[in-house]
Amino acid sequence: MMASATIQDALLLFRQSVATQRPLIPTTSATPNPSAKETPLAQATHLQFNLSPAPVCLPLDTPTRYVDSNGAPFDLRSVYFAYSNHQRTIPEYNGLVEQLNAEFASAGISHRVHGVSFVERLELVTWLEGADECARIKPLEGAPATTVDKSISGAPAAGAAGASRSGKGTMDPRLAAVYNGERRMGDRNSILRGIKPTDFSHVRKLSALFLSKKPSNGTSSSQTSLPLNQKPTTRRPDPIILLSPSASSLLRLTNIKSFLESGRFIPPDAPALNSNLNLLHITRIVKDIDPHRPMRFILVEGCEQFKPDYWNRVVAVFTTGQQWQFKSYKWPKPTDLFKHVQGVYVGYRDDEVPEMVKSWGHRVVSTSVDRWRESDASKLGREIPIVTKDVNYRDREAADHIWKTIESNMRTKGWRRDACPTSI
């Protein structure tokens, strides 16, 4: 009797059908028919299990051993509807439940599908697909409490194996007990306790940012790839050079451009020079940092307009040795300043370097230029003069030495092709 009850149990028949991949067919007939066609659930009255050797039909109103959180059993119709739509999202499933119940009401039928919550649906589908236990499934009537789990997990295998061996749909109780002791092997869903497939399609979109493929013959033009010479997404900051505002400084905004770009020294107070300047831009290729794009250097005489992060972009400070120049700097003490920034002193050739500059150490590079000649000063009204060849060569040599020191210090501080250092 117990074996017969087990074979006719709705949940075990359902689980056996899932395990053997036999179709479940809603129908209007209580008589099993192997060639029966599926009837819409709103009109069906029975569910046909196409098991071997003969199909079995059970009414859709049959209560099952699967209960909700209040202990009320779900009928076979609700269980079948929940499993048929287990891959639907929660809003989609709830919408289909309301739609089906509306069809029942419009047809004057008292049937109703009871919605299953997400957790209840997950537990139900996981058990139907091979899980060993489910707390919401009551044991079979008449089965000992110690054998509840075996009757649940082993019954489908026993029923399938017994039906294929006996050919009669019944099984000897002793043989059923043997089959109930077998360990059922589950699929990946039962082992991982899940049924929802994971969608990794978003990984393809993320990987497209890091993978580049050169198009070959016959390759589609829509192939996702990065350009070979992709431009940086952010603008590179401009390095800053601070000049001394002292009137005794040989290099001011009026003549620094000619000196650093052309290696030509002109007195800062020459009449032909523009004295109404607040800042200058000098463009130069720094091969060891970015050989393809010129860097634009900003030259100013004061730091009044500086923001805090501007100090990370200062690459050189020109000085005459007067400490009042550093009074408004981030590091007002020269010994602290030149630990962070490269210092530059420019004097006349054959003049002694001030003792104050010497005391600041190797972090202040000293160089010299030739004195301006009176014969050259007479030409300033017409054009900027060109000094003699040997003098021009010595001034250019001094400018190159300054640039070499500045660029070396920039590499040390962490200047890169598309970024400046975050601290110096």
Side-chain angles (χ1 to χ4, degrees):
M1 295 295 294
M2 182 179 175
S4 177
T6 299
I7 291 299
Q8 296 298 323
D9 180 74
L11 284 184
L12 293 182
L13 291 173
F14 206 124
R15 177 166 165 158
Q16 183 179 344
S17 299
V18 173
T20 57
Q21 298 182 354
R22 299 298 180 91
L24 302 168
I25 300 177
T27 180
T28 56
S29 174
T31 303
N33 182 5
S35 60
K37 301 296 182 180
E38 183 174 347
T39 302
L41 194 59
Q43 304 172 9
T45 58
H46 290 72
L47 185 64
Q48 178 173 306
F49 301 89
N50 291 322
L51 299 173
S52 177
V56 178
C57 277
L58 291 181
L60 286 170
D61 294 334
T62 302
T64 67
R65 293 181 291 113
Y66 190 71
V67 299
D68 59 15
S69 57
N70 298 322
F74 288 100
D75 58 11
L76 185 57
R77 179 182 287 104
S78 300
V79 171
Y80 171 76
F81 190 76
Y83 183 80
S84 301
N85 298 280
H86 70 273
Q87 292 185 347
R88 304 272 188 178
T89 63
I90 297 176
E92 290 177 340
Y93 170 73
N94 293 336
L96 292 175
V97 170
E98 295 179 0
Q99 179 181 347
L100 183 58
N101 288 333
E103 294 180 14
F104 286 144
S106 61
I109 302 175
S110 60
H111 302 320
R112 187 172 182 272
V113 172
H114 298 279
V116 181
S117 68
F118 175 77
V119 177
E120 294 170 342
R121 185 165 43 136
L122 180 62
E123 292 180 351
L124 172 63
V125 174
T126 303
W127 184 86
L128 290 176
E129 293 186 344
D132 294 336
E133 299 178 2
C134 181
R136 296 184 184 275
I137 296 181
K138 292 184 176 181
L140 288 168
E141 294 183 4
T146 56
T147 62
V148 169
D149 292 342
K150 292 183 179 181
S151 66
I152 293 175
S153 60
S164 60
R165 290 186 176 102
S166 66
K168 292 183 180 180
T170 59
M171 181 180 293
D172 185 85
R174 292 172 296 178
L175 185 59
V178 174
Y179 285 125
N180 287 342
E182 291 183 347
R183 179 180 178 183
R184 180 173 175 80
M185 302 299 293
D187 57 10
R188 62 175 298 275
N189 289 331
S190 61
I191 295 174
L192 298 178
R193 296 294 192 274
I195 60 171
K196 185 177 180 180
T198 304
D199 183 12
F200 291 101
S201 60
H202 67 284
V203 178
R204 181 179 300 175
K205 298 179 181 178
L206 295 177
S207 62
L209 300 176
F210 303 97
L211 300 179
S212 60
K213 297 181 180 179
K214 294 182 179 180
S216 57
N217 294 334
T219 303
S220 173
S221 60
S222 61
Q223 182 182 16
T224 302
S225 62
L226 292 176
L228 297 180
N229 297 323
Q230 185 179 21
K231 295 182 179 180
T233 56
T234 58
R235 183 178 178 271
R236 177 178 59 199
D238 297 329
I240 300 173
I241 296 177
L242 276 171
L243 302 179
S244 173
S246 174
S248 62
S249 177
L250 299 184
L251 294 174
R252 302 284 300 275
L253 286 176
T254 54
N255 64 342
I256 188 67
K257 187 176 182 70
S258 173
F259 178 73
L260 291 181
E261 284 188 343
S262 307
R264 181 184 304 163
F265 171 71
I266 302 172
D269 55 353
L273 300 178
N274 184 4
S275 60
N276 298 322
L277 296 175
N278 295 320
L279 62 85
L280 281 176
H281 294 135
I282 292 180
T283 303
R284 179 179 177 86
I285 289 286
V286 183
K287 294 182 180 179
D288 292 340
I289 297 178
D290 190 349
H292 303 294
R293 289 189 305 156
M295 300 188 73
R296 189 179 71 164
F297 290 80
I298 300 176
L299 288 81
V300 293
E301 290 184 349
C303 60
E304 292 78 9
Q305 304 298 325
F306 270 28
K307 296 180 181 179
D309 60 313
Y310 282 13
W311 283 102
N312 296 330
R313 296 159 49 187
V314 176
V315 296
V317 172
F318 282 71
T319 180
T320 59
Q322 298 168 301
Q323 295 193 43
W324 62 263
Q325 172 188 347
F326 318 126
K327 187 175 181 180
S328 60
Y329 285 12
K330 180 179 181 180
W331 301 281
K333 293 183 178 181
T335 52
D336 295 334
L337 172 66
F338 296 121
K339 288 180 181 178
H340 299 276
V341 184
Q342 177 65 54
V344 179
Y345 170 79
V346 179
Y348 281 127
R349 201 175 305 275
D350 300 330
D351 282 357
E352 289 290 334
V353 178
E355 291 297 328
M356 182 63 69
V357 175
K358 290 182 180 179
S359 67
W360 296 337
H362 69 281
R363 292 295 298 165
V364 180
V365 59
S366 299
T367 186
S368 59
V369 295
D370 287 281
R371 293 181 182 274
W372 190 251
R373 299 176 303 177
E374 293 297 333
S375 59
D376 293 325
S378 63
K379 302 177 182 179
L380 287 178
R382 297 192 301 271
E383 60 181 355
I384 296 178
I386 301 177
V387 296
T388 58
K389 182 177 181 181
D390 57 339
V391 174
N392 186 31
Y393 171 77
R394 289 196 297 265
D395 290 349
R396 181 181 294 275
E397 188 178 57
D400 290 343
H401 179 55
I402 293 174
W403 276 122
K404 183 178 180 181
T405 304
I406 293 176
E407 293 173 5
S408 175
N409 182 70
M410 291 177 64
R411 293 193 300 270
T412 303
K413 292 298 183 181
W415 281 86
R416 298 293 181 265
R417 181 176 63 86
D418 56 356
C420 71
T422 56
S423 63
I424 59 173

